[in-house]
Amino acid sequence: MNWIAIDELSSKLPIPHGYRAEQLKRSDIPELIRCFKVWFPDVTVGAENCYQREDFYSREVFIKGEAERDVIVFLIKKDQEPVAMFSMQRSEDTLTLYGRLGAIAPRYRGAKLAYIAPALLEAMGRAMGMEVIYALAEFTIPNTQIVFERAGFQIVGIVPASDRLMVAPGVIKRVYEAIYVKVLAADAEILRPQPESMTPRTKALYDFLFAG
């Protein structure tokens, strides 16, 4: 189950005029790490602080022209300037694709670049034959929730205290995250839970989220 080249997906993405999407090259890594310190300083802790370490890219990320790995990173550039990044991770065993991390340079946050992320996740998932795509959205960034909801993803739960984030200089807190999912598999391929397999509280939540 190979990654699909970004050039094959670009026509399906809402990339504003003057911008382009590229897969991360090895020569891009030092500049991307430098950009992270400006774009997203909050992730110096928590699950995604690995994106600020060069060894992470060597061990886990599929770099353009090198051996495939389960994590891939795409850069959005304007001319030669990197202005945003989006990352995703595949699971071949479960046929799922996880939208891991996105970051946008502060002065480009009004350019609607965030809408590229869910479109890219879905285009890649469909092209690869994935059956479920999903992402987490921190409650500290309301715009992320808006972007995924407008892209047709469904909120299916909230994970309390699931990650760590620097919420102010030197202040680290555990944060809540919302889970957004879009099922790409055909309905006939899905085994839905039966009422007898759920406790009353579980069934009440299931009915609230999925009834109809």
Side-chain angles (χ1 to χ4, degrees):
M1 183 170 295
N2 296 330
W3 292 107
I4 306 302
I6 188 65
D7 291 346
E8 297 182 34
L9 304 175
S10 293
S11 64
K12 300 179 175 65
L13 307 180
I15 301 176
H17 179 72
Y19 298 82
R20 69 184 186 281
E22 297 181 355
Q23 184 182 348
L24 184 74
K25 303 187 297 294
R26 185 157 295 278
S27 59
D28 292 322
I29 294 173
E31 177 66 6
L32 178 58
I33 293 173
R34 186 195 68 77
C35 287
F36 257 117
K37 299 181 189 303
V38 178
W39 296 357
F40 207 172
D42 302 347
V43 295
T44 54
V45 297
E48 306 299 15
N49 79 86
C50 54
Y51 284 86
Q52 296 194 21
R53 301 196 308 267
E54 190 163 349
D55 65 302
F56 164 72
Y57 296 93
S58 296
R59 290 194 323 269
E60 299 187 36
V61 176
F62 173 28
I63 306 298
K64 186 175 182 180
E66 301 184 18
E68 285 208 6
R69 293 187 171 91
D70 288 336
V71 179
I72 196 167
V73 175
F74 297 102
L75 295 179
I76 306 300
K77 291 186 176 182
K78 186 174 185 181
D79 297 323
Q80 297 304 311
E81 179 188 5
V83 300
M85 65 79 66
F86 304 116
S87 175
M88 56 187 72
Q89 182 169 349
R90 68 186 181 186
S91 172
E92 295 189 53
D93 291 332
T94 61
L95 297 181
T96 58
L97 191 61
Y98 167 42
R100 278 192 62 162
L101 181 66
I104 300 172
R107 70 191 186 100
Y108 289 96
R109 287 178 184 166
K112 300 188 181 299
L113 300 179
Y115 290 93
I116 300 171
L120 177 55
L121 186 63
E122 182 166 356
M124 181 67 77
R126 291 187 183 280
M128 292 176 74
M130 293 298 186
E131 296 184 347
V132 177
I133 54 177
Y134 72 102
L136 299 177
E138 292 172 359
F139 281 80
T140 56
I141 312 174
N143 188 58
T144 305
Q145 301 162 50
I146 294 169
V147 165
F148 277 96
E149 288 170 12
R150 288 182 177 175
F153 284 69
Q154 180 182 5
I155 184 169
V156 297
I158 295 172
V159 185
S162 64
D163 201 358
R164 300 168 69 233
L165 192 68
M166 186 177 294
V167 297
V171 180
I172 298 170
K173 298 283 188 180
R174 299 203 70 88
V175 294
Y176 281 55
E177 293 182 299
I179 308 172
Y180 282 94
V181 173
K182 184 177 283 192
V183 177
L184 306 182
D187 193 66
E189 302 298 320
I190 300 169
L191 176 64
R192 300 190 182 278
Q194 298 302 306
E196 60 271 17
S197 67
M198 295 184 278
T199 67
R201 293 186 69 179
T202 300
K203 185 176 185 304
L205 178 59
Y206 176 83
D207 289 343
F208 176 77
L209 290 172
F210 303 111

